[in-house]
Amino acid sequence: MTNENSTPNRRVAVVGAGITGPLLSLCLARLGFEVDLYEAYLRRAQDVGSFLNLAPNGRAVLERLGLADRILERGTVAHSITFANHKGRQLARNPERTTNIMRGELSAALREAATDGGVKLHTAKRLVTLDKSGEHGWRLGFEDGTRAEADIVLGCDGVNSTTRHLLLPHAPRPTYTQVVGSGGRSETGAAELPVDGRFHMVFGLRGFFGYQVVSPGVVWWFENHQETHERSFAELAETDDAWWLAALARRHRPDPAVVRRILNASTGPVGRWPVHEVPPLDTWHRGSAAVLGDAAHAVAPHLGAGAALGMEDAYELALALHRHPAAPQAFTAFEESRRARVAAMAKQARQTGAVMTPDRWITRVIRDLMLPTAIKHGVRKGTEAYSYRPSPWPVRAD
Ligand SMILES: Cc1cc2nc3c(=O)[nH]c(=O)nc-3n(C[C@H](O)[C@H](O)[C@H](O)COP(=O)(O)OP(=O)(O)OC[C@H]3O[C@@H](n4cnc5c(N)ncnc54)[C@H](O)[C@@H]3O)c2cc1C
């Protein structure tokens, strides 16, 4: 750890050790801040059965910090992403290299890197109150009755952020995207589906399905479909896995047989969750406290971009706090530099969502015609979603 720019009296409390929180904590510790990371859970129920695709912009942050190999060895590289329609016709191939990794594994690896880097991790600490303390500081209260003090508070506590609620009580609430996601792991015969290094996407007629064969006979899959009536995480969890899988198989009856084959071969728990996004907030901070990652700008999942965006945030916010003597200035500079990118990604995610499983056949036909050109064009101009390059690091990053 490099601490030559030690910053005394800047005790930082980071709330939430999902993806953004541990990475932010590590960056700050390397820049000389004293960091306490508070996490509500040891292991989140939401992480069961759920993997995410980490895009090149997320990898770029990890590479800059010298962490890519250590963290991403827990996942599986996809050398390209392929797209097919519900008739099984291959529409396009995006040659970008991405990594599929279980969300819980990614979080655990980042937490380990943070604690190795000097961050103090406190689990089973759910933030419930946040009050001013003295002229600039904060007092945090946790569900177990304990308290802590900090000069700077950074909320990385996800889409339903308590920090956001306490800090910016008038901020709009998260909205339901009318999408329910689920994911799991299946075991097919090793010869049946080859390990081909591809992340396969299928625009089903009534649901979007993605999968990668991660090792001989082992498939990770996810499914997103529209449900207009919102059901909570707890309500979705009430249905049993077998019932859920049978319902998904029925939903995907018109689609390529491989989708049902994978669903029918599911082993282990199936994660499922309602998907929310955070509408644009007027500000992401108040005084010396701020929110970032999903807490500030959760976007619809159709681009598979949220985790990488959170990593970008973590890296750039740490640098802003290093550059600016006062936290509010750092937050203002950070917001100015990030807002346009986040808004562009949110828009792109919504546009992508609109053509995933459209009701009208004509929209499907246009999508199928346009997609190859859109992907080729996007790749040539350096796909916008992946185009972020981390700012230079002021001291040795490792
Ligand atoms: C269906 C779906 C598919 C997705 N697929 C992808 C994908 O393929 N690629 C991608 O990049 N992104 C994807 N995302 C988005 C990605 O999961 C999020 O953007 C990412 O997890 C955000 O990280 P975060 O650390 O900001 O928040 P989170 O990962 O949500 O972490 C928040 C943490 O805060 C903790 N916490 C919450 N409240 C409190 C509290 N009061 N006190 C203390 N701790 C608290 C939580 O337990 C959690 O550990 C997907 C999202 C969904 C819903």
Side-chain angles (χ1 to χ4, degrees):
M1 186 178 64
T2 311
N3 269 341
E4 56 257 54
N5 284 292
S6 194
T7 316
N9 304 323
R10 296 189 86 182
R11 296 164 305 157
V12 183
V14 175
V15 182
I19 291 158
T20 311
L23 194 66
L24 170 67
S25 302
L26 176 62
C27 291
L28 288 169
R30 286 185 179 184
L31 291 166
F33 290 83
E34 194 185 308
V35 189
D36 286 282
L37 172 58
Y38 299 99
E39 165 57 44
Y41 297 101
L42 269 177
R43 186 169 157 71
R44 280 197 307 173
Q46 282 97 324
D47 289 335
V48 170
S50 135
F51 69 95
L52 57 78
N53 182 254
L54 191 69
N57 43 316
R59 166 179 274 274
V61 174
L62 297 178
E63 275 170 355
R64 183 58 66 90
L65 294 165
L67 293 172
D69 292 344
R70 170 180 176 178
I71 305 280
L72 297 180
E73 70 176 12
R74 302 197 189 195
T76 303
V77 169
H79 296 287
S80 63
I81 305 175
T82 62
F83 299 87
N85 67 7
H86 73 278
K87 294 176 181 158
R89 183 157 71 84
Q90 292 299 315
L91 302 171
R93 189 174 78 87
N94 184 342
E96 291 286 357
R97 184 166 173 256
T98 58
T99 303
N100 282 320
I101 182 165
M102 286 290 167
R103 205 194 303 226
E105 281 292 320
L106 177 59
S107 179
L110 290 168
R111 288 182 193 188
E112 278 167 35
T115 50
D116 289 353
V119 172
K120 283 183 229 136
L121 171 65
H122 311 265
T123 49
K125 292 285 171 195
R126 173 178 291 280
L127 181 80
V128 288
T129 60
L130 183 60
D131 300 298
K132 295 290 289 178
S133 165
E135 204 179 332
H136 300 295
W138 296 93
R139 182 173 300 117
L140 299 91
F142 300 98
E143 200 176 44
D144 62 3
T146 57
R147 290 179 176 276
E149 303 245 334
D151 302 313
I152 297 172
V153 174
L154 300 169
C156 303
D157 43 352
V159 64
N160 294 308
S161 168
T162 302
T163 315
R164 184 185 64 233
H165 178 64
L166 296 171
L167 200 63
L168 309 167
H170 303 298
R173 305 268 154 172
T175 53
Y176 174 54
T177 57
Q178 304 200 342
V179 172
V180 170
S182 43
R185 177 185 184 279
S186 296
E187 286 181 24
T188 60
E192 205 177 336
L193 288 172
V195 180
D196 58 5
R198 293 177 176 196
F199 191 20
H200 298 264
M201 305 287 173
V202 181
F203 293 103
L205 211 51
R206 290 185 285 137
F208 186 75
F209 191 84
Y211 69 95
Q212 182 176 1
V213 185
V214 295
S215 58
V218 178
V219 185
W220 290 357
W221 60 268
F222 76 89
E223 201 271 354
N224 288 338
H225 65 261
Q226 208 184 8
E227 284 194 17
T228 42
H229 171 68
E230 180 174 356
R231 286 192 281 172
S232 67
F233 181 75
E235 281 172 293
L236 289 169
E238 273 168 17
T239 55
D240 76 25
D241 284 357
W243 186 93
W244 186 263
L245 287 163
L248 287 187
R250 277 197 301 280
R251 178 175 287 279
H252 286 276
R253 199 174 282 148
D255 302 333
V258 65
V259 174
R260 293 187 307 288
R261 174 67 190 110
I262 292 170
L263 289 169
N264 290 334
S266 181
T267 58
V270 178
R272 41 196 179 270
W273 45 87
V275 181
H276 295 86
E277 60 185 348
V278 172
L281 308 183
D282 291 340
T283 178
W284 297 344
H285 75 276
R286 177 156 67 87
S288 58
V291 288
L292 62 157
D294 267 16
H297 51 64
V299 300
H302 312 298
L303 275 188
L309 265 187
M311 288 182 172
E312 293 178 14
D313 272 6
Y315 182 90
E316 298 296 338
L317 183 60
L319 286 181
L321 282 165
H322 175 75
R323 279 190 209 115
H324 295 271
Q329 288 167 10
F331 295 150
T332 303
F334 169 74
E335 285 188 32
E336 278 170 9
S337 70
R338 297 290 297 157
R339 271 189 183 277
R341 173 154 175 77
V342 166
M345 299 285 274
K347 185 174 166 198
Q348 210 180 325
R350 272 194 298 274
Q351 285 169 344
T352 308
V355 296
M356 276 190 156
T357 54
D359 292 336
R360 297 172 63 215
W361 66 269
I362 188 71
T363 314
R364 287 197 293 275
V365 170
I366 294 169
R367 175 199 67 203
D368 292 359
L369 284 172
M370 303 283 288
L371 193 74
T373 319
I375 298 251
K376 257 192 217 136
H377 179 67
V379 168
R380 253 202 316 271
K381 79 172 205 181
T383 315
E384 187 181 4
Y386 304 155
S387 64
Y388 161 82
R389 294 287 168 270
S391 304
W393 190 260
V395 291
R396 266 188 43 223
D398 56 351

